[in-house]
Amino acid sequence: MDPHQPSSRSRVRRPLVKLASTSVNLIHRRNPWVMAWWSTAFPGFGQLILGQHVKGFVLIFWEIAVNVGSQLNVAIMYSLQGQFERAKLVLDHRWFFLYTPVFIYGIWDSYRTTVSLNNSYGMAVFENARINSFHMDSISVNFLDRRIPWVGMIYSLLMPGLGQLYVHRLVTGFFILIWWIVIAYFSHVTEAVYFTCIGDFVRAKAVVDMEWLLFLPSIYGFACYEAYITIVELNNLFRREQTQYLIEHYQSSSFPLPEPNQ
């Protein structure tokens, strides 16, 4: 058998990418510690990056609900200001001790899943898994194409979620977009930006709700990182699919290929 020709088994065993009408999901090599860090920054983010959307969405709902219930962000704010006694008083321990076990699980699950998916990715590459580059149905058209990573990051900076929409990750994009709107509303960040623009810094500081505002840096950072990395890896898959097609249809099996490092 020609080693460049994918076997029928490798085509279905470990796919590198799955295109659907509302999303695109893919596996590629990732750093387990980076995924664990994203779960530390915000439980559920590591799972979203890995393509485990249902688990990620549930953990994000849980993080926001329990964080607000325990007033953890308020306690963090007072701790950063050196007001440790006030931080201890404001923390609701009934909610906080529910927070800790799931927080630890999210970190461990991200790390473990990344290691397993890295192994699956290595086997998929070894088996030369066939890449399906086009999906069309009555709802939408989705396809692999070259996109610009910095454009996705800029969209995410304008408003989290838009970078994901740029790469047709519609479910993740709208989820992030909706949560950004909710958090921006309760934190009054748009009002603070307005007062800052007109030079009323005292009023800008007074109007902000820090309990909700502290969610925004993680969401912004995640949206930019996830959009950029996803575009880079989808571009790599696009090139890999083009290579597979050209080898299968145009390159003679008897063509002498040069040895690596020569």
Side-chain angles (χ1 to χ4, degrees):
M1 179 183 294
D2 187 344
H4 295 296
Q5 296 289 339
S7 67
S8 59
R9 185 178 181 183
S10 69
R11 295 182 185 185
V12 297
R13 192 179 183 193
R14 295 182 180 88
L16 288 171
V17 62
K18 173 66 176 179
L19 300 179
S21 58
T22 58
S23 66
V24 52
N25 209 353
L26 68 156
I27 61 173
H28 59 87
R29 197 168 299 281
R30 298 177 175 95
N31 188 327
W33 292 106
V34 173
M35 297 302 102
W37 185 90
W38 277 115
S39 290
T40 303
F42 206 109
F45 280 176
Q47 283 74 18
L48 282 189
I49 296 175
L50 294 171
Q52 297 181 310
H53 297 106
V54 174
K55 187 186 293 186
F57 294 155
V58 172
L59 286 175
I60 290 172
F61 274 114
W62 169 87
E63 155 68 16
I64 294 176
V66 178
N67 191 307
V68 172
S70 64
Q71 299 190 70
L72 180 59
N73 278 352
V74 179
I76 292 173
M77 179 189 68
Y78 288 138
S79 298
L80 293 174
Q81 295 174 347
Q83 303 181 49
F84 302 110
E85 290 300 323
R86 195 171 181 182
K88 288 190 293 184
L89 290 174
V90 77
L91 193 64
D92 189 328
H93 296 90
R94 293 174 300 174
W95 286 99
F96 178 72
F97 284 107
L98 295 175
Y99 182 93
T100 307
V102 182
F103 181 76
I104 295 173
Y105 164 79
I107 299 172
W108 171 83
D109 179 71
S110 292
Y111 184 93
R112 178 195 61 82
T113 303
T114 305
V115 172
S116 298
L117 288 178
N118 284 348
N119 293 334
S120 296
Y121 172 78
M123 291 300 298
V125 171
F126 176 77
E127 294 165 353
N128 196 26
R130 195 68 175 88
I131 297 173
N132 180 21
S133 61
F134 197 93
H135 174 87
M136 181 173 64
D137 57 21
S138 59
I139 298 176
S140 180
V141 176
N142 193 5
F143 53 92
L144 290 181
D145 193 13
R146 290 184 183 273
R147 293 181 173 88
I148 305 172
W150 287 105
V151 172
M153 180 176 287
I154 290 172
Y155 280 138
S156 295
L157 287 173
L158 292 174
M159 183 172 288
L162 296 183
Q164 283 68 33
L165 298 185
Y166 175 61
V167 291
H168 207 84
R169 290 170 69 89
L170 303 186
V171 176
T172 303
F174 283 122
F175 181 84
I176 296 172
L177 183 61
I178 290 170
W179 268 118
W180 186 90
I181 293 172
V182 170
I183 293 172
Y185 176 82
F186 284 108
S187 66
H188 303 278
V189 66
T190 52
E191 299 170 57
V193 170
Y194 167 74
F195 290 129
T196 300
C197 290
I198 64 175
D200 193 347
F201 302 109
V202 175
R203 197 171 178 184
K205 181 179 178 181
V207 77
V208 166
D209 187 333
M210 292 300 298
E211 182 176 20
W212 287 90
L213 185 69
L214 289 180
F215 287 125
L216 291 181
S218 297
I219 292 178
Y220 257 111
F222 166 77
C224 293
Y225 173 84
E226 202 271 346
Y228 186 92
I229 292 299
T230 299
I231 294 171
V232 169
E233 295 301 330
L234 286 176
N235 286 346
N236 291 337
L237 286 175
F238 176 79
R239 288 191 291 268
R240 180 182 291 274
E241 193 277 335
Q242 292 289 304
T243 301
Q244 289 178 341
Y245 181 83
L246 292 174
I247 289 176
E248 291 172 14
H249 292 84
Y250 292 100
Q251 182 168 296
S252 171
S253 59
S254 62
F255 183 81
L257 293 174
E259 293 294 329
N261 300 324
Q262 284 189 358

